């Protein structure tokens, strides 16, 4: 059975503020039913055995459950049975470290179902679906996607202006694992896969990376669309959505693109997207044109 968030557990006693359940927590939990998520109150019984028994009685698995807690003991017990865990900083609970939590939140004003779902997905290695456009969606890649990338990169002209994949597949798989753990988890963005919304087929790769240019860390956008989908406006559609995402979520004030002078299609796309030429720079032994867009 495919993993999906179906249940949220909490211990009401850990969320009391002046003898009342925290209002934002209450609003969040009461709204989860509309997404098909059941909320289970542990009623003060927070041992591993209690949690497993509660889930068994309700008909849920640990693999489809997320725990919200404010005490280390509860978080640790949840973690040991495989639950995704979110720690709530309750000022009435002193001396907590939250070391067993997947993430720590100080309040629930901006926490909704989609926030919980993403923490759950990260716990279980489920790729995030980050951006949607009219014809595509962009999601994080997985190790299982490596073979499809080799197929795309093998098409004529694909690596004329980008670095090829590793010659050995085992090296590319190792790189992909490290990229997922370090880039996606810590930065919240990276190079994503571009998928056809109708059939889920991987049609390219696009996204954001950080790049050091002349002692400055800049945000860079890149893209690659497989041959069958080129010259149909997909690159413009995807890059426009990425630019909007960068404006809202990256924290950078401008976006850069680095293009070789001979890459005429990309130069034309950048002009259409509203990028402006700034200067030529040397990157890894290549002379590149740097274009920028104010976010």
């Amino acid at each position: 059975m495919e993993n999906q968030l179906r249940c949220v557990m909490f211990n009401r006693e850990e969320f009391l503020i002046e003898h009342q359940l925290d209002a934002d927590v209450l609003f969040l939990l009461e709204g989860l039913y509309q997404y098909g998520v059941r909320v289970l109150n542990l009623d003060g019984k927070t041992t591993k055995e209690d949690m497993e028994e509660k889930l068994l009685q309700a008909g849920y698995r640990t693999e489809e459950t997320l725990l919200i807690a404010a005490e280390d003991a509860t978080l640790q017990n949840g973690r040991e049975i495989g639950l995704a865990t979110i720690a709530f900083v309750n000022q009435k609970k002193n001396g907590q470290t939250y070391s067993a939590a997947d993430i720590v939140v100080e309040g629930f004003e901006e926490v909704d179902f989609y926030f919980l779902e993403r923490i759950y997905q990260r716990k279980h290695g489920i790729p995030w679906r980050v951006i949607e456009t009219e014809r595509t969606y962009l999601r994080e890649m997985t190790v299982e996607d490596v073979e499809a990338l080799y197929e795309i990169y093998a098409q004529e002209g694909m690596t004329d202006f980008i670095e090829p994949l590793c010659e050995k597949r085992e090296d590319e798989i190792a790189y992909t694992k490290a990229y997922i753990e370090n880039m996606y988890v810590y930065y919240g963005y990276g190079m994503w896969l571009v998928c056809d919304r109708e059939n889920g087929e991987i049609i390219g790769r696009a996204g954001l990376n950080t790049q050091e240019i002349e002692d400055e860390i800049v945000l860079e956008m890149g893209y690659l669309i497989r041959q069958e989908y080129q010259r149909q406006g997909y690159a413009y559609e995807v890059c426009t959505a990425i630019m909007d995402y960068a404006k809202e979520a990256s924290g950078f004030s401008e976006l850069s693109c680095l293009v070789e002078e001979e890459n005429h299609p990309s130069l034309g796309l950048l002009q259409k997207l509203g990028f402006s030429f700034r200067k030529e720079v040397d990157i890894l032994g290549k002379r590149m044109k740097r274009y920028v867009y104010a976010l």
Side-chain angles (χ1 to χ4, degrees):
M1 183 183 299
E2 182 181 356
N3 284 353
Q4 182 178 339
L5 178 59
R6 301 179 186 277
C7 179
V8 169
M9 301 183 78
F10 82 116
N11 180 31
R12 187 177 186 277
E13 295 177 6
E14 297 180 22
F15 293 85
L16 296 179
I17 307 293
E18 302 300 334
H19 308 292
Q20 297 290 326
L21 187 64
D22 179 83
D24 293 318
V25 172
L26 179 61
F27 180 78
L28 169 67
L29 297 178
E30 288 183 341
L32 292 179
Y33 76 92
Q34 63 184 304
Y35 299 99
V37 176
R38 172 88 176 273
V39 176
L40 297 179
N41 178 12
L42 289 166
D43 294 318
K45 300 178 180 179
T46 59
T47 68
K48 291 183 287 186
E49 293 76 16
D50 291 332
M51 293 181 187
E52 290 175 323
E53 179 64 23
K54 191 83 171 181
L55 287 173
L56 181 63
Q57 291 177 353
Y60 294 99
R61 300 176 296 129
T62 56
E63 295 87 351
E64 54 191 11
T65 304
L66 179 144
L67 171 70
I68 305 175
E71 295 185 3
D72 284 343
T74 308
L75 291 164
Q76 184 62 40
N77 289 334
R79 181 176 184 175
E80 289 183 9
I81 65 171
L83 302 182
T85 55
I86 297 179
F88 168 52
V89 180
N90 185 339
Q91 301 299 333
K92 301 295 182 180
K93 303 288 184 180
N94 298 321
Q96 308 301 316
T97 67
Y98 312 116
S99 59
D102 295 316
I103 192 170
V104 179
V105 299
E106 295 186 356
F108 285 81
E109 299 91 340
E110 298 181 3
V111 174
D112 58 11
F113 163 76
Y114 298 104
F115 180 91
L116 300 185
E117 184 180 49
R118 286 198 165 187
I119 301 307
Y120 167 84
Q121 289 173 334
R122 185 66 77 213
K123 169 73 174 181
H124 294 286
I126 301 171
W128 288 3
R129 187 159 165 166
V130 185
I131 296 174
E132 295 202 19
T133 73
E134 181 181 354
R135 296 178 292 175
T136 74
Y137 63 86
L138 279 67
R139 67 164 174 84
E140 296 174 343
M141 61 182 172
T142 69
V143 172
E144 289 72 22
D145 297 315
V146 167
E147 196 60 40
L149 290 177
Y150 271 100
E151 178 187 339
I152 293 174
Y153 275 63
Q155 293 183 323
E156 184 178 356
M158 283 296 178
T159 57
D160 287 351
F161 301 106
I162 63 171
E163 293 294 320
L165 301 177
C166 297
E167 184 175 345
K168 296 181 179 178
R169 277 168 168 70
E170 56 264 34
D171 292 339
E172 187 66 31
I173 289 173
Y175 171 80
T176 300
K177 288 181 178 178
Y179 189 90
I180 292 169
E181 294 172 0
N182 293 287
M183 196 68 188
Y184 291 156
V185 173
Y186 292 106
Y187 289 90
Y189 55 79
M191 291 300 291
W192 302 300
L193 297 182
V194 183
C195 302
D196 189 312
R197 286 189 66 170
E198 290 189 1
N199 55 29
E201 179 185 5
I202 298 172
I203 67 171
R205 198 176 192 181
L208 302 166
N209 274 320
T210 52
Q211 176 76 260
E212 183 175 350
I213 301 178
E214 298 176 341
D215 298 323
E216 177 188 6
I217 300 299
V218 305
L219 186 67
E220 179 191 7
M221 181 175 70
Y223 79 95
L224 173 72
I225 301 296
R226 66 184 303 154
Q227 284 184 344
E228 304 93 296
Y229 290 81
Q230 291 178 7
R231 297 180 180 84
Q232 299 177 52
Y234 280 94
Y236 179 82
E237 179 179 327
V238 167
C239 287
T240 300
I242 292 172
M243 292 160 64
D244 290 339
Y245 180 92
K247 185 181 300 185
E248 296 295 326
S250 73
F252 283 82
S253 60
E254 66 178 14
L255 183 61
S256 295
C257 276
L258 302 171
V259 186
E260 293 185 51
E261 186 173 4
E262 296 80 10
N263 190 350
H264 301 296
S266 287
L267 291 174
L269 175 63
L270 292 180
Q271 183 177 7
K272 185 178 180 181
L273 289 169
F275 279 75
S276 300
F277 173 72
R278 174 163 294 176
K279 63 187 301 186
E280 292 190 352
V281 295
D282 290 315
I283 302 292
L284 299 177
K286 289 184 178 181
R287 194 66 173 169
M288 310 286 283
K289 290 181 174 292
R290 181 186 176 190
Y291 283 78
V292 297
Y293 179 87
L295 296 175

